[in-house]
């Protein structure tokens, strides 16, 4: 059901993934290093500018195009895929969606070319899905925002080409109708060369070893008042929109991971001979792979539906959560099954299915955990307290 243009893009990125990314993925995973030369090639292909308008140096394509590119990369290397997904979905999209004309003109062209990367500084030790726990603060002083706080688990925040991080900060309190108060959250663009902005050492992660992920420290960070992204006090609403968009793209990453496991399982089952016949001649193995394919197809369908609704300007929050839930569970289940089919060889890190097994675990947590997605879906079904009850 894809257009010819979409099919050509998917084929182009698939070829790049198979010929450039896959052969190097184990080396960079072992070194725990983001391969900037591969990122540069992705920029030259225009991948970082797919949904960014041509006015700002992008490709002017739809969000489904981004999902197709992320899916093809994730088949062979989730770390590379999430670098693209986060670089656009969480890095550039906040500026594209809420930025002023001046902010778009200043930041988007370099991001669209892949010459720079941006991060999204939301999560803290006590705040993530519960944004009300945000402790980072920002105050206006002599025409500048003064920001103090910490952020954690921030993707693309410490690469050699990271130029900015959009941070959420408490800028006041808002009164509710019942007399109680709630933090007023505001989004602010912070260039990474701003004094007081410190990228702390990266994490020792279970998976996504190649992906760049750091905690951040902001001490008396001062940026111009015009670095406000969107309206003051609208940070909570804005980040919900960005997370909805990001969940669609991350869902595509999950689909790619699930598809990669199917392809690896099929290849091995057709070649591995045990007790005089190939593994695939055993009904149990063939049925297991058939179930893996069914999970993948279902996940792809809901991800594409969410992307098409996003592109059409229709409400898509519920569909985004369904896509994230279904696709992340498919990726985790397929990674488990693929490793089982590969047996002892599936336990070796040089095998892509072993890396999928490690990498896929975060897919049920990042950009809203499984429980958060269930709460959002339940809310749309008429259970408003599902997330907090």
């Amino acid at each position: 059901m894809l257009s010819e243009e979409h099919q050509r893009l998917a084929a182009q990125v698939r070829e790049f993934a198979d010929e450039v990314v896959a052969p190097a993925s184990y080396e960079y995973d072992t070194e725990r290093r983001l391969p900037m030369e591969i990122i540069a090639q992705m920029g030259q292909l225009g991948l970082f500018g797919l949904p960014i308008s041509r006015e700002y140096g992008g490709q002017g394509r739809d969000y489904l195009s981004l999902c197709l590119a992320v899916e093809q990369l994730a088949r062979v290397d989730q770390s590379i895929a999430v670098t693209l997904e986060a670089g656009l979905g969480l890095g550039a999209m906040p500026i594209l969606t809420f930025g002023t004309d001046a902010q778009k003109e200043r930041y988007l062209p370099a991001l669209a070319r892949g010459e720079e990367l941006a991060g999204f500084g939301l999560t803290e030790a006590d705040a993530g899905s519960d944004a009300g726990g945000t402790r980072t603060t920002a105050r206006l002083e002599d025409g500048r925002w003064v920001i103090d706080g910490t952020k954690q688990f921030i993707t693309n925040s410490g690469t050699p080409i990271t130029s900015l991080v959009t941070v959420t900060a408490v800028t006041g309190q808002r009164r509710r109708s019942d007399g109680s108060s709630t933090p007023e959250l505001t989004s602010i663009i912070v260039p990474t060369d701003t004094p007081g902005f410190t990228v702390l050492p990266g994490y020792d992660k279970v998976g996504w070893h190649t992906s760049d992920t750091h905690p951040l420290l902001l001490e008396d960070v001062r940026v111009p008042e015009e670095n406000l992204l969107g309206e003051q006090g609208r940070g909570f609403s804005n980040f919900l929109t960005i997370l909805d968009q990001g969940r669609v793209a991350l869902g595509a990453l999950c689909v790619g991971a699930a598809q990669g496991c199917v392809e690896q399982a099929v290849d091995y089952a057709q070649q591995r001979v045990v007790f005089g016949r190939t593994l695939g001649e055993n009904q149990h193995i063939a049925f297991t792979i058939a179930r893996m394919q069914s999970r993948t197809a279902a996940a792809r369908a809901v991800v594409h539906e969410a992307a098409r609704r996003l592109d059409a300007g229709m409400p898509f929050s519920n569909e985004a959560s369904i896509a994230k839930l279904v696709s992340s569970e498919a990726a985790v289940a397929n990674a488990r099954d693929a490793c089982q089919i590969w047996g002892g060889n599936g336990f070796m890190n040089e095998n892509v299915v072993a890396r999928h097994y490690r990498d896929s675990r975060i897919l049920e947590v990042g950009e809203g955990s499984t429980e958060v997605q269930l709460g959002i879906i339940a809310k749309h079904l008429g259970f408003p307290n599902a997330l907090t009850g």
Side-chain angles (χ1 to χ4, degrees):
M1 299 298 292
L2 295 176
S3 68
E4 290 186 5
E5 182 181 7
H6 284 138
Q7 291 179 49
R8 285 195 298 270
L9 173 66
Q12 179 188 29
V13 181
R14 184 183 182 91
E15 181 180 10
F16 174 78
D18 288 343
E19 295 185 0
V20 177
V21 179
S25 61
Y26 174 56
E27 174 187 348
Y28 292 118
D29 182 86
T30 302
E31 295 175 355
R32 303 197 175 201
R33 176 171 66 88
L34 181 64
M36 300 310 301
E37 61 273 27
I38 289 180
I39 301 304
Q41 292 180 67
M42 291 164 59
Q44 293 165 6
L45 286 174
L47 301 188
F48 286 97
L50 283 171
I52 297 177
S53 63
R54 295 182 182 276
E55 178 184 3
Y56 301 112
Q59 300 294 307
R61 302 204 192 195
D62 54 18
Y63 207 80
L64 178 58
S65 297
L66 171 62
C67 290
L68 295 174
V70 169
E71 176 183 338
Q72 293 302 326
L73 292 171
R75 291 170 35 255
V76 301
D77 193 319
Q78 291 188 38
S79 290
I80 296 298
V82 79
T83 301
L84 175 62
E85 184 272 328
L88 268 167
L90 299 179
M93 291 304 290
I95 297 173
L96 181 64
T97 307
F98 302 110
T100 63
D101 290 342
Q103 289 170 342
K104 293 175 183 178
E105 291 171 1
R106 178 180 178 184
Y107 297 115
L108 287 180
L111 295 175
R113 293 191 298 267
E115 296 171 356
E116 297 180 358
L117 287 173
F120 186 59
L122 167 66
T123 306
E124 300 181 7
D126 298 314
S129 300
D130 178 14
T134 299
R135 297 291 178 264
T136 297
T137 62
R139 68 183 188 278
L140 271 176
E141 187 176 292
D142 299 326
R144 304 183 76 82
W145 290 105
V146 183
I147 309 170
D148 291 280
T150 60
K151 298 293 179 177
Q152 65 179 15
F153 310 145
I154 311 304
T155 304
N156 292 343
S157 57
T159 77
I161 59 173
T162 300
S163 61
L164 67 96
V165 175
T166 299
V167 301
T168 53
V170 177
T171 53
Q173 295 289 321
R174 286 192 169 183
R175 286 287 180 182
R176 291 176 171 148
S177 57
D178 61 2
S180 62
S181 63
T182 183
E184 173 191 87
L185 290 181
T186 298
S187 301
I188 303 170
I189 299 171
V190 180
T192 54
D193 60 358
T194 305
F197 180 91
T198 303
V199 178
L200 299 175
Y203 298 98
D204 181 12
K205 297 175 293 186
V206 170
W208 282 6
H209 288 165
T210 301
S211 171
D212 178 90
T213 318
H214 295 266
L216 305 174
L217 174 64
L218 299 94
E219 296 179 299
D220 197 38
V221 170
R222 295 171 181 265
V223 298
E225 184 175 356
E226 56 265 29
N227 281 29
L228 172 71
L229 184 61
E231 298 178 26
Q232 181 174 342
R234 295 286 296 173
F236 181 79
S237 174
N238 292 353
F239 96 72
L240 287 179
T241 298
I242 294 305
L243 285 181
D244 282 341
Q245 294 176 349
R247 284 165 184 157
V248 179
L250 191 65
L253 189 156
C254 297
V255 172
Q259 180 65 47
C261 289
V262 170
E263 293 172 7
Q264 292 295 320
V266 168
D267 287 347
Y268 194 70
Q270 290 177 340
Q271 297 174 20
R272 173 67 166 166
V273 176
V274 180
F275 300 118
R277 59 179 180 172
T278 63
L279 275 178
E281 293 180 69
N282 293 282
Q283 189 182 68
H284 171 69
I285 298 298
F287 279 11
T288 297
I289 300 175
R291 193 175 296 279
M292 292 169 64
Q293 176 66 3
S294 298
R295 292 187 195 115
T296 306
R300 183 178 290 111
V302 293
V303 168
H304 286 195
E305 169 67 10
R308 289 191 169 98
R309 290 180 68 91
L310 191 165
D311 285 326
M314 300 171 64
F316 69 97
S317 177
N318 187 44
E319 287 75 15
S321 287
I322 292 172
K324 169 66 165 55
L325 174 69
V326 172
S327 62
S328 62
E329 291 184 341
V332 170
N334 279 14
R336 179 196 62 229
D337 287 345
C339 282
Q340 191 71 17
I341 289 170
W342 273 80
N345 290 322
F347 196 63
M348 302 298 111
N349 280 327
E350 60 265 30
N351 190 326
V352 66
V353 299
R355 298 197 295 277
H356 276 313
Y357 187 79
R358 289 189 282 105
D359 291 344
S360 293
R361 185 61 194 89
I362 190 60
L363 299 176
E364 294 183 313
V365 177
E367 294 194 37
S369 66
T370 294
E371 292 74 20
V372 167
Q373 307 316 314
L374 289 169
I376 293 171
I377 297 165
K379 182 178 179 180
H380 282 275
L381 288 171
F383 303 99
N385 298 319
L387 270 174
T388 58

